[in-house]
Amino acid sequence: MNAKVEQLYLKTRRGAPMQAADALTLVAGVGIAGDLNAHRLSPRQMLVTVASELAALALPAGVLRENLVISTDAPENVKPGAALVGAGGLEIRLTMYCEPCKQLLPLVADLTGMIGRRGVLGVIVGGGRLQRDQALELIPGRHPALPESPYQRFLDFISTIPRGKVVRYADVAMAIGADHSFVRAIPGYIKRSLGADLPLHRIVSARGHLLATVPDQARRLAAEGVPAHDAVDLDAFLWRGEPA
């Protein structure tokens, strides 16, 4: 299925207007070079919208804070699990719908009407240069869609934390595609999951302190080569999503 790059934008600062660009550099596993959302752990490395949807909403390109606007002959297939593939191995995996937020209230009167219409978030599988007017191939179902449930995404992510590494609450929130404020929900998710066979001992506080809710955490970390009495040395053992 055919698609074409219509507009490109870069997000350099939180709250600042998106910057229009003629080309973007996509870095595999990381995101868009120079973009605020570039991070290996994030399933929200870029936001893709469809030009026909913007037209139906009577909104100009860029106001939904999207990075990529495409035109396509199959807009119904721009959904989680699909991929946009370009020359030279460039590939964007679409992961989850971008939820409408309060930032859109000056643009639309009803946020509920924007559910599923703001665009689809994605990660960079294959890097390269993405340019305006570039042809892309839209491939439905190329990847598994991420679960809609944040808790299920939590369970899936925890199992990927490598042995000998730790993550903080904020890293978990990022990795499951949630806002930073979602850190308040992480302790509840941990308690809910204590009976599962998951490496919950690899989660620490913002400053690396051990968690009272995780049994035998210090011993389990030490067995993996992570010294921990009251806290873990984050400079040495924090996992930022690097390949194992």
Side-chain angles (χ1 to χ4, degrees), residues 23-34:
L24 298 175
T25 300
L26 308 187
V27 182
V30 177
I32 304 169

Side-chain angles (χ1 to χ4, degrees), residues 20-214:
D22 292 326
L24 298 175
T25 300
L26 308 187
V27 182
V30 177
I32 304 169
D35 192 88
L36 188 63
N37 291 321
H39 197 289
R40 287 188 179 277
L41 288 178
S42 178
R44 310 172 65 100
Q45 293 172 0
M46 70 184 307
L47 175 59
V48 180
T49 61
V50 181
S52 58
E53 187 70 271
L54 289 171
L57 293 166
L59 293 174
V63 298
L64 297 180
R65 305 189 68 75
E66 69 270 28
N67 300 104
L68 168 61
V69 181
I70 62 169
S71 56
T72 175
D73 54 2
E76 69 279 5
N77 288 320
V78 182
K79 59 185 179 181
L84 291 164
V85 177
L90 184 147
E91 182 171 348
I92 302 163
R93 173 191 175 184
L94 302 184
T95 55
M96 53 194 289
Y97 287 108
C98 186
E99 67 284 356
C101 64
K102 292 180 180 179
Q103 290 184 8
L104 302 184
L105 284 175
L107 306 172
V108 296
D110 180 18
L111 288 181
T112 59
M114 289 293 295
I115 295 174
R117 303 187 72 183
R118 185 177 180 182
V120 189
L121 296 157
V123 296
I124 311 306
V125 175
R129 185 173 173 84
L130 186 66
Q131 303 179 96
R132 288 183 62 181
D133 298 325
Q134 181 175 343
L136 299 172
E137 182 181 5
L138 172 61
I139 306 176
R142 185 174 173 94
H143 300 280
L146 293 187
E148 292 186 12
S149 162
Y151 178 61
Q152 185 59 55
R153 295 199 298 269
F154 168 84
L155 296 177
D156 292 346
F157 169 68
I158 298 307
S159 64
T160 69
I161 305 169
R163 180 183 177 87
K165 293 291 184 179
V166 298
V167 295
R168 303 160 298 185
Y169 287 168
D171 302 314
V172 176
M174 177 190 294
I176 66 175
D179 185 78
H180 179 79
S181 62
F182 203 81
V183 296
R184 295 191 293 268
I186 303 303
Y189 278 11
I190 293 172
K191 291 179 182 178
R192 182 177 171 185
S193 309
L194 286 175
D197 185 20
L198 291 170
L200 297 169
H201 62 284
R202 297 173 189 161
I203 306 174
V204 296
S205 76
R207 296 185 178 182
H209 290 102
L210 303 187
L211 308 179
T213 53
V214 177

